[in-house]
Amino acid sequence: MKDVHPKNPENSDQHETIKFNTSFISPSKLVSGPSISPAKFPSVPTTAVNLENAGSINAADLLPSQSSHTSSTEVPDSSHLRVANNHSSGRFSLASENSYVPSIAGLTSEDEEDDREDNNIETSHNEEEDLQSILNGLIRHENHFNGQISHRNSLSSPRQEISFLDLNIFPNSETVQNGEEYYNKYIRISKDEDEAAFVEKLKHFFILSSAGKPVFSMHGADDIIMGYMGIITTIVSTFEENMKEEIKSITVGDRIKIVAINKNPLILVAVSQISYEMMSFTHNESVEEELHPRPNSLEDHDSDSDDLILINQLNTLYNYLLSILSKPTIEKNFHNRMNYDLRRVLTPLDFHNFEALCLKLTYGLPLLKEGEKISDTSSFDFYIGELLDSSIQSVKIRNTTRNRLNNIFLSCKRIKVKEDDLDSEVNSDSVSFFSKAEDQERYLGEDLLFSFLTTSSNRILSFMKPRNHTLSNEDLKILFSMISSAEMQSGDSEFTEDLWIPLCMPNFNPNGFLYVFVRKFDLSEYVEPRPTVSQPLSIILISSNKNTFFKMREISRYIITKIVKGENSRNNPLSRELLESTKLSILNDIRVPAIKHFIYKLKCSNQFIMNDMVYYNNDRSMNTLLQLVYFYSILHNSKATKIKSKLKATYNHETGLVRQINSSRSESKKLTYTRWNGAGTSVTGFMLSDDVYEFYCLSNEEIGSKDLIANSLKIIQWCEKYRKRLFLGEGVTF
Amino acid sequence: MSAPTSNQNPQSSQSTNRFAQFKLVLLGESAVGKSSIVHRFVKNTFDDMRESTIGAAFLTQTITLPESKTTIKFEIWDTAGQERYKSLAPMYYRNANAALCVYDITSRSSFSKAQDWIKELKKQAPEGIVIALVGNKSDLADSREVEESEVEEYIQQASEDGSSIITSECSAKSGDGVLEIFTSIAKSLPVEEAVGAGTNRNRAGAGNRRAGGVDLGRARRPEQASSGCC
Amino acid sequence: MSGRKKTLLKVIILGDSGVGKTSLMQQFVNNKFSHQYKATIGADFLTKEITIDSNKQVTLQIWDTAGQERFQSLGVAFYRGADCCVLCYDVTNEKSLNNLTSWKDEFLVQSNVSNPQDFPFIIIGNKIDVDDSKKIPSLQKKLQNITNNQLGGLNYPVFETSAKDAINVESAFEVIAKMALQQEELNDANGNDVSDDYNDAINIHLESESSGCAC
């Protein structure tokens, strides 16, 4: 079967290798593998290591002969780590961002309690040298950049604006004039009846019933997709019926990949022509794997890392369906009749949400209306989170603040009320009569299962959970996406509309629903003088009982009161603290010239922080966004160089300390260095990881390896020092 | 603190010394305009781009009945009309004092659905619940599919059991008739009773509960059983 | 996708190869969106929108399946979830008429419909425009025999068409669509498609020791 892809049959003349990936056939050895197309720039992006020669490099081998090489650990004095005050290098002053106040408050030693909880890093100051040597060695190994590395190009030479088209991130760049045209032709979601245009889109998603009835298609009018649904069904079934195999994926050369997952009675298919999605990518074996296995994806793919990226995307779409319908409902409807049309229970908002998911899963782009500009980058945050194995983004707040919030949540579980104290939701169906007792009291929050306090961009400030239950990051993403989508419907207004949403959390329990209460309030209303910019926070209370809306509502009022008035007479209100501490502007606090953008992920908690995209190129344009997506995808998905070093980082969960200890067996340290060069411009990407963290950064200036390493380590150390402020722990449990 | 229940109602500037509170629920097919009606009433806004409601939303709004110098506070459940949420409806109308069954005058099927809701309410909802049959999108009268005469006819039949149903048309888009619906409903509600009960229970300015307090001295009522247990 | 959903019907076209299904369909549907892969994967997929009862819009997803042996095993996949079925024969070919019964049986077996008695079928006799001499002798009688006896006596509607005359084809599809819609409404009345059970994901009280529950 040659022409299995619904593309123009003209291409069938090309002699391309078509690879079928099925569940019982071992992957064919004739895989040509996706190749990263060279940038349009004169030189080729260098990875630190040639894929074939990926091996571990012994640090010792590359070290220039060193006289004394001590491995003693030294505790650097605090001055070494104290951050600079209010320093802005030329590159970082941003006219556009008024709301970004360099937040120094949390970083000085005023609050002793905070400081005590911050970490002292024990590290070897030779680590830097080691890494540098490795990096230099690798760069020399590649024989590039003669003379370019040693000096830093100053800020004086004008940088050329790079367009994502120039980077050849996507195919067919030469067919259009500019980025906007490219976007409209190949990326933007279109429901037109023009089949030629449909076929050219870079990415497709299809959801259909196993009978071939469409549930959702990313692009195309109904008329167009009907036929494709039939074809997909036929192909999937052909493998099943004729070969007793389950088709997993089909790869055509390095051009196109089609991945299918069977979620009987549904089939989900992704078709992609995007190089960074077709990369083979293995999970980083690490602590994180044990702590946060991804059940769905592991079950589906065995060891097929080739398809993992697209499979994960399909699972995300499937989980959305589960979250609104639940598994038994889907199965029951089709069990009753195979010709069931699932679209009957879907709303226009669901389709909107699907489309938004498709775009952010693929490109990190938001769903925009015609001519609309990007105003918020939550879709980019989402993409990065998915890239980092379903990681969630955290927000920095002071430890004391977080502790106080945690305690407020905990106290919710202790509120006692008499039944008739409430705006009665006496459920006449299930009234039970207790035989006695004058003072029967109930706990207001007895059905409260999970609670969150989040910022408007869905970053968690504080949360509470039961001892024996957790919501996985995947479930959290669904939760927050749904809440954002519901809030969007109420428009922006000063009024609060309390929401009550039945939601199935697939990883928690795909067979039943939880009930989500959401109340938004504006912190700035409670601070004098009133700030000009609003600071909305959301209280999210998840109940196990559908009849408890009013109880949840009561609890939310309690929480707000506690926050704005203080928990007791001794405490100051939290509102001001919250207002100030949630602003994150790391790069204003540390001086790391030339590193424009970075991501730091803490593996054990599967959370990450990154700075605002605007720091990279002074804008939040689609052009910039697509580039960042591309660079980070390459950095993450490329096979890294393992570093055998004498030092191993270990993380002590109880004390929260990171220690470097002597170990001959450490294999977890990895490094990737990539550079794209072009006329007058270059972009450097760097990845460093070990058991504890993954770190990525980008620079669009000339940066030498010395600075790259030094500045990266600076950021890493800053993150480690403030780990408790930056990352959520286990939350508070009851 | 809950958001101030601001009044768009010009009548609210009058002072009142009587206060009553009622629960109200909106039911009806998806896309007839339930949320739009509520938003017009509560926020005095209309958004063309709004899509569907997920689950349900709860809002409050207060109006004044100048004749009786009473302030009426509505606690409103705006429910999702999509079929898949149908089984959750009892949760919302179970304790409601009034229900708006909304249809779209340009959609016959939505009118039929509204009638189904009325039937269900009569069977399952609290006795005496005030029912309003509301035809939205009166601004699209050119594409009308449901004639007012049909509605009249239906109401006559439906009232044969002694119940009375308020009918009205409105346009959430233009605002026409929206406030009037709520005012009519308010007038049909047992205001006196509610005012009386409210005074007894000291419910003036309801919503200012002592957060987190244990309240003593209340007559005990049968307790709510935990779901699924025993 | 807009709010008001159009009904979507999966229509299976069955019949011996050579009865002219393909040219019949070509006349009927919007060619722009037709995919012809019958020889390769065993079916062509066509799509057509029609209006029933002047206000109901229906999209027909037409699966024009090949008769060949080698695609026999795909029957399950093709027929699964069909809303209605069109049985085609060639009025000049008696064998194709006689085979209607096996096509129907094959379909019912493979598609596993829950109520075979109620499943919407129609019969289309193609190539009606030929010379009477070429037609099956005593066609009407034989046809009646088939519909009354062989096909379970269920009296399926019969249409005679020719590739040149698309009009009758259109009415045939209107009829089958109507039948399918009616069936759909009956199914609806019988069983809810909604999640009438919003199962609770967890009963927190069963989990805590202090529930004080005797169960």
Side-chain angles (χ1 to χ4, degrees):
Chain A
M1 236 189 273
K2 261 282 184 181
D3 245 14
V4 296
H5 182 257
K7 203 172 157 72
N8 205 314
E10 285 169 10
N11 288 330
S12 59
D13 291 339
Q14 296 174 6
H15 292 291
E16 289 178 292
T17 315
I18 300 187
K19 173 188 163 209
F20 295 87
N21 191 5
T22 60
S23 52
F24 302 120
I25 299 178
S26 56
S28 162
K29 59 187 172 353
L30 40 73
V31 53
S32 54
S35 58
I36 304 166
S37 312
K40 238 186 191 177
F41 294 168
S43 59
V44 175
T46 31
T47 49
V49 145
N50 214 328
L51 288 180
E52 265 82 71
N53 299 336
S56 332
I57 296 183
N58 201 324
D61 295 345
L62 292 176
L63 287 173
S65 56
Q66 280 195 328
S67 41
S68 56
H69 177 75
T70 58
S71 55
S72 61
T73 58
E74 264 181 44
V75 180
D77 60 70
S78 51
S79 59
H80 174 64
L81 287 175
R82 177 154 311 216
V83 298
N85 284 333
N86 228 351
H87 185 100
S88 45
S89 73
R91 249 2 202 175
F92 298 148
S93 54
L94 300 164
S96 49
E97 274 324 297
N98 296 327
S99 56
Y100 280 85
V101 173
S103 142
I104 303 303
L107 300 179
T108 60
S109 324
E110 275 176 39
D111 190 330
E112 288 189 359
E113 204 180 313
D114 276 331
D115 261 7
R116 270 204 298 279
E117 295 197 13
D118 293 333
N119 292 320
N120 286 316
I121 313 297
E122 297 168 17
T123 179
S124 160
H125 65 79
N126 279 316
E127 182 191 2
E128 216 172 299
E129 286 180 19
D130 289 348
L131 287 173
Q132 233 167 270
S133 308
I134 294 168
L135 192 53
N136 283 336
L138 292 170
I139 295 171
R140 271 197 294 273
H141 182 69
E142 286 293 311
N143 269 333
H144 278 274
F145 314 107
N146 297 323
Q148 272 189 19
I149 294 171
S150 47
H151 68 275
R152 253 191 298 157
N153 205 349
S154 71
L155 306 167
S156 54
S157 54
R159 255 183 347 100
Q160 242 172 286
E161 178 77 11
I162 314 178
S163 159
F164 71 88
L165 290 178
D166 298 328
L167 287 165
N168 244 1
I169 299 173
F170 305 118
N172 306 326
S173 311
E174 62 289 345
T175 64
V176 295
Q177 302 283 12
N178 56 47
E180 193 175 326
E181 204 182 314
Y182 190 90
Y183 169 77
N184 284 326
K185 186 168 181 190
Y186 295 103
I187 296 179
R188 192 168 66 86
I189 291 189
S190 152
K191 306 290 192 189
D192 282 350
E193 290 200 344
D194 179 353
E195 189 163 7
F198 170 78
V199 158
E200 294 204 292
K201 298 289 180 186
L202 294 181
K203 182 73 177 287
H204 291 269
F205 281 109
F206 300 106
I207 306 177
L208 51 148
S209 73
S210 54
K213 285 203 180 171
V215 176
F216 169 75
S217 166
M218 183 179 179
H219 303 286
D222 266 5
D223 281 341
I224 298 181
I225 65 174
M226 289 300 161
Y228 287 111
M229 298 292 173
I231 297 169
I232 292 171
T233 314
T234 309
I235 295 171
V236 169
S237 304
T238 302
F239 277 84
E240 266 172 26
E241 305 300 328
N242 286 354
M243 306 200 273
K244 306 300 174 208
E245 305 247 333
E246 188 152 13
I247 182 79
K248 297 289 188 190
S249 71
I250 302 172
T251 314
V252 182
D254 58 0
R255 245 186 343 110
I256 300 164
K257 188 187 268 287
I258 306 169
V259 173
I261 60 173
N262 187 350
K263 294 287 191 188
N264 202 29
L266 298 175
I267 301 172
L268 294 94
V269 178
V271 181
S272 174
Q273 297 180 60
I274 299 170
S275 60
Y276 61 77
E277 291 196 314
M278 301 194 284
M279 291 173 84
S280 196
F281 142 68
T282 47
H283 270 300
N284 286 317
E285 300 98 24
S286 64
V287 172
E288 153 228 291
E289 255 279 82
E290 287 159 37
L291 290 180
H292 305 279
R294 294 187 60 157
N296 283 337
S297 54
L298 287 178
E299 172 184 293
D300 279 322
H301 80 101
D302 301 321
S303 57
D304 293 308
S305 52
D306 282 4
D307 307 330
L308 199 55
I309 296 172
L310 293 174
I311 287 178
N312 286 342
Q313 293 179 358
L314 291 174
N315 276 316
T316 302
L317 288 178
Y318 178 64
N319 281 341
Y320 179 89
L321 272 177
L322 284 183
S323 74
I324 54 176
L325 299 173
S326 87
K327 200 149 188 278
T329 301
I330 296 176
E331 288 174 353
K332 191 179 76 158
N333 283 324
F334 283 98
H335 180 72
N336 286 345
R337 40 208 176 132
M338 273 310 314
N339 61 342
Y340 185 68
D341 184 355
L342 195 64
R343 294 188 303 182
R344 296 163 59 152
V345 289
L346 299 178
T347 66
L349 184 60
D350 293 321
F351 291 109
H352 174 108
N353 288 339
F354 274 136
E355 288 175 11
L357 268 175
C358 290
L359 283 181
K360 61 187 180 187
L361 282 168
T362 308
Y363 306 103
L365 286 174
L367 185 57
L368 296 170
K369 301 200 246 306
E370 188 89 40
E372 196 184 344
K373 293 284 171 209
I374 297 179
S375 56
D376 94 282
T377 55
S378 56
S379 55
F380 175 67
D381 299 347
F382 179 90
Y383 182 89
I384 297 295
E386 290 299 285
L387 184 69
L388 302 176
D389 289 318
S390 211
S391 194
I392 55 173
Q393 202 172 3
S394 53
V395 62
K396 176 172 79 59
I397 68 172
R398 298 168 67 157
N399 298 318
T400 42
T401 310
R402 207 196 298 278
N403 289 338
R404 287 174 67 184
L405 289 173
N406 286 348
N407 286 332
I408 292 177
F409 271 146
L410 213 47
S411 67
C412 291
K413 289 294 279 183
R414 297 192 290 262
I415 306 171
K416 285 188 183 174
V417 283
K418 286 262 174 87
E419 189 57 40
D420 48 330
D421 215 24
L422 304 169
D423 255 343
S424 131
E425 263 306 287
V426 174
N427 180 345
S428 55
D429 286 353
S430 60
V431 162
S432 86
F433 298 88
F434 283 69
S435 53
K436 57 168 166 58
E438 298 290 88
D439 41 24
Q440 272 294 337
E441 287 172 340
R442 312 281 303 212
Y443 287 99
L444 188 61
E446 62 190 350
D447 294 298
L448 178 61
L449 205 52
F450 297 99
S451 47
F452 300 90
L453 182 70
T454 64
T455 65
S456 55
S457 33
N458 288 333
R459 295 181 207 172
I460 305 173
L461 290 163
S462 164
F463 75 101
M464 180 175 72
K465 67 184 213 46
R467 202 173 317 123
N468 48 356
H469 292 292
T470 312
L471 285 181
S472 69
N473 281 5
E474 275 101 1
D475 282 346
L476 288 179
K477 289 201 174 170
I478 291 173
L479 175 68
F480 296 138
S481 289
M482 191 58 81
I483 293 174
S484 296
S485 147
E487 282 176 345
M488 215 176 52
Q489 300 306 296
S490 37
D492 44 23
S493 62
E494 325 81 53
F495 291 92
T496 55
E497 206 172 271
D498 294 335
L499 301 177
W500 188 234
I501 304 172
L503 204 61
C504 165
M505 305 265 69
N507 285 6
F508 180 78
N509 182 354
N511 298 320
F513 286 85
L514 295 173
Y515 300 88
V516 183
F517 171 90
V518 185
R519 166 173 281 223
K520 215 159 150 175
F521 69 105
D522 187 356
L523 207 50
S524 61
E525 276 178 24
Y526 303 101
V527 174
E528 295 288 329
R530 177 154 178 180
T532 44
V533 181
S534 72
Q535 170 76 308
L537 296 183
S538 295
I539 297 174
I540 300 169
L541 303 171
I542 302 185
S543 168
S544 56
N545 180 342
K546 60 166 79 83
N547 296 308
T548 51
F549 171 81
F550 288 99
K551 290 183 180 169
M552 296 301 119
R553 186 164 177 251
E554 198 58 34
I555 294 175
S556 73
R557 288 154 132 183
Y558 167 85
I559 293 170
I560 295 176
T561 309
K562 289 293 181 191
I563 290 177
V564 306
K565 287 200 171 152
E567 304 89 294
N568 50 50
S569 52
R570 289 169 299 152
N571 291 17
N572 291 325
L574 274 170
S575 21
R576 179 172 292 281
E577 273 180 55
L578 275 175
L579 207 56
E580 281 169 6
S581 72
T582 56
K583 298 188 176 84
L584 180 69
S585 51
I586 294 175
L587 294 190
N588 278 359
D589 304 324
I590 330 174
R591 186 151 182 271
V592 283
I595 290 189
K596 296 309 192 55
H597 196 267
F598 76 92
I599 302 171
Y600 177 95
K601 169 180 160 177
L602 186 64
K603 283 183 169 176
C604 60
S605 55
N606 204 13
Q607 292 163 21
F608 72 99
I609 58 156
M610 71 179 171
N611 59 328
D612 192 313
M613 177 175 106
V614 74
Y615 286 86
Y616 180 76
N617 204 23
N618 288 342
D619 65 35
R620 294 192 183 96
S621 65
M622 166 163 13
N623 184 36
T624 301
L625 195 156
L626 287 173
Q627 288 180 49
L628 290 178
V629 160
Y630 174 65
F631 296 136
Y632 281 125
S633 301
I634 301 295
L635 275 178
H636 180 267
N637 298 340
S638 301
K639 192 144 182 173
T641 308
K642 290 189 190 164
I643 303 168
K644 269 189 191 140
S645 79
K646 295 222 170 91
L647 302 172
K648 174 182 162 112
T650 62
Y651 178 67
N652 185 323
H653 287 255
E654 276 140 33
T655 63
L657 288 179
V658 176
R659 304 169 67 98
Q660 301 273 9
I661 59 171
N662 286 333
S663 160
S664 53
R665 279 185 44 242
S666 166
E667 294 198 346
S668 61
K669 201 147 189 140
K670 292 184 194 156
L671 174 161
T672 299
Y673 171 85
T674 306
R675 191 153 167 163
W676 295 265
N677 276 321
T681 307
S682 74
V683 177
T684 306
F686 180 63
M687 189 283 286
L688 187 60
S689 74
D690 69 11
D691 283 316
V692 175
Y693 67 83
E694 272 172 39
F695 172 81
Y696 305 81
C697 70
L698 294 174
S699 171
N700 51 12
E701 289 178 3
E702 287 297 323
I703 180 169
S705 63
K706 188 169 149 65
D707 286 329
L708 185 57
I709 301 272
N711 290 332
S712 298
L713 288 178
K714 224 182 206 172
I715 298 176
I716 291 170
Q717 282 155 7
W718 186 92
C719 292
E720 294 189 345
K721 173 173 164 118
Y722 294 109
R723 177 178 308 122
K724 280 224 161 139
R725 303 193 202 197
L726 289 167
F727 299 104
L728 293 167
E730 286 300 300
V732 63
T733 57
F734 63 87
Chain B
M1 294 307 176
S2 54
T5 49
S6 112
N7 291 318
Q8 308 290 347
N9 178 1
Q11 296 173 318
S12 67
S13 52
Q14 301 184 17
S15 67
T16 66
N17 48 16
R18 287 148 42 87
F19 180 88
Q21 181 169 290
F22 295 104
K23 281 196 176 31
L24 191 151
V25 61
L26 280 93
L27 301 164
E29 198 179 77
S30 177
V32 297
K34 300 182 290 297
S35 297
S36 296
I37 290 177
V38 174
H39 284 229
R40 172 58 75 186
F41 178 54
V42 174
K43 310 179 193 183
N44 204 20
T45 56
F46 177 81
D47 180 3
D48 236 322
M49 299 308 299
R50 187 198 320 284
E51 289 171 319
S52 335
T53 306
I54 301 177
F58 184 82
L59 311 88
T60 58
Q61 176 59 298
T62 311
I63 63 173
T64 312
L65 297 181
E67 323 76 56
S68 52
K69 293 216 172 119
T70 317
T71 305
I72 310 272
K73 180 179 177 189
F74 285 113
E75 297 191 320
I76 306 169
W77 273 117
D78 176 20
T79 68
Q82 225 288 336
E83 274 303 297
R84 71 175 189 256
Y85 293 108
K86 188 162 168 21
S87 63
L88 292 176
M91 185 172 45
Y92 304 113
Y93 64 62
R94 186 181 292 135
N95 289 308
N97 304 106
L100 271 78
C101 296
V102 186
Y103 66 95
D104 171 356
I105 66 166
T106 69
S107 158
R108 171 156 296 285
S109 69
S110 74
F111 181 54
S112 167
K113 195 81 185 87
Q115 294 177 34
D116 289 343
W117 278 118
I118 293 180
K119 197 153 68 167
E120 180 171 335
L121 287 172
K122 285 191 178 185
K123 240 190 336 183
Q124 321 259 34
E127 196 156 330
I129 185 173
V130 171
I131 301 180
L133 177 59
V134 178
N136 189 30
K137 308 198 190 179
S138 60
D139 53 294
L140 298 178
D142 291 341
S143 323
R144 179 187 282 277
E145 273 185 19
V146 182
E147 299 298 335
E148 286 174 275
S149 50
E150 288 180 68
V151 180
E152 271 312 306
E153 210 180 295
Y154 165 73
I155 291 299
Q156 282 196 2
Q157 278 172 23
S159 313
E160 271 162 18
D161 60 357
S163 60
S164 74
I165 302 177
I166 300 171
T167 62
S168 184
E169 288 193 355
C170 69
S171 162
K173 186 167 189 179
S174 68
D176 254 355
V178 172
L179 181 55
E180 284 77 354
I181 290 170
F182 288 91
T183 313
S184 318
I185 291 176
K187 291 181 179 158
S188 307
L189 286 166
V191 175
E192 292 307 316
E193 258 176 59
V195 170
T199 319
N200 285 345
R201 292 213 187 109
N202 195 21
R203 276 204 191 196
N208 293 339
R209 299 204 177 290
R210 216 157 48 89
V214 172
D215 221 304
L216 311 168
R218 290 262 191 274
R220 189 180 60 76
R221 279 224 234 117
E223 309 236 10
Q224 186 174 345
S226 49
S227 64
C229 188
C230 298
Chain C
M1 300 191 184
S2 58
R4 301 269 162 82
K5 210 117 271 107
K6 291 181 283 213
T7 311
L8 169 67
L9 297 176
K10 176 174 174 178
V11 187
I12 310 290
I13 317 288
L14 296 175
D16 287 358
S17 56
V19 304
K21 301 197 294 287
T22 308
S23 32
L24 209 55
M25 291 304 125
Q26 294 308 323
Q27 279 297 323
F28 176 53
V29 304
N30 185 343
N31 258 344
K32 215 164 68 145
F33 306 116
S34 320
H35 294 259
Q36 292 165 58
Y37 301 105
K38 218 190 268 189
T40 14
I41 61 176
D44 286 342
F45 303 99
L46 311 102
T47 176
K48 172 87 177 175
E49 257 187 55
I50 59 175
T51 308
I52 300 182
D53 294 340
S54 74
N55 64 350
K56 291 190 195 146
Q57 280 205 290
V58 177
T59 305
L60 301 177
Q61 186 192 41
I62 302 172
W63 299 52
D64 179 9
T65 62
Q68 287 120 342
E69 283 291 313
R70 62 192 171 106
F71 297 119
Q72 218 68 342
S73 59
L74 290 179
V76 170
F78 287 148
Y79 307 153
R80 182 193 295 143
D83 291 289
C84 52
C85 181
V86 177
L87 303 164
C88 295
Y89 75 97
D90 173 354
V91 301
T92 67
N93 181 331
E94 186 153 357
K95 187 155 187 282
S96 71
L97 174 60
N98 292 331
N99 279 343
L100 288 183
T101 318
S102 7
W103 279 117
K104 179 196 168 179
D105 290 341
E106 168 88 4
F107 172 81
L108 286 177
V109 163
Q110 302 249 38
S111 67
N112 202 24
V113 295
S114 44
N115 45 352
Q117 298 293 87
D118 302 323
F119 194 83
F121 285 95
I122 61 169
I123 300 170
I124 290 184
N126 197 26
K127 303 190 189 171
I128 200 65
D129 54 317
V130 302
D131 222 30
D132 272 355
S133 59
K134 298 211 180 110
K135 292 184 192 163
I136 303 166
S138 323
L139 174 55
Q140 289 311 318
K141 208 157 66 154
K142 287 184 179 149
L143 189 54
Q144 255 199 333
N145 181 33
I146 302 264
T147 56
N148 292 352
N149 305 328
Q150 312 274 24
L151 289 172
L154 290 167
N155 276 322
Y156 297 130
V158 179
F159 294 82
E160 291 178 330
T161 66
S162 86
K164 300 178 200 148
D165 160 27
I167 298 174
N168 229 13
V169 181
E170 189 130 358
S171 350
F173 276 92
E174 268 179 43
V175 166
I176 189 98
K178 244 192 244 186
M179 288 165 72
L181 278 185
Q182 273 171 7
Q183 195 53 43
E184 202 45 25
E185 271 153 38
L186 274 174
N187 287 339
D188 267 350
N190 291 341
N192 284 345
D193 67 344
V194 298
S195 49
D196 38 21
D197 9 314
Y198 266 87
N199 296 326
D200 286 343
I202 183 176
N203 190 321
I204 195 172
H205 302 289
L206 287 179
E207 311 230 335
S208 72
E209 300 97 3
S210 54
S211 64
C213 169
C215 56

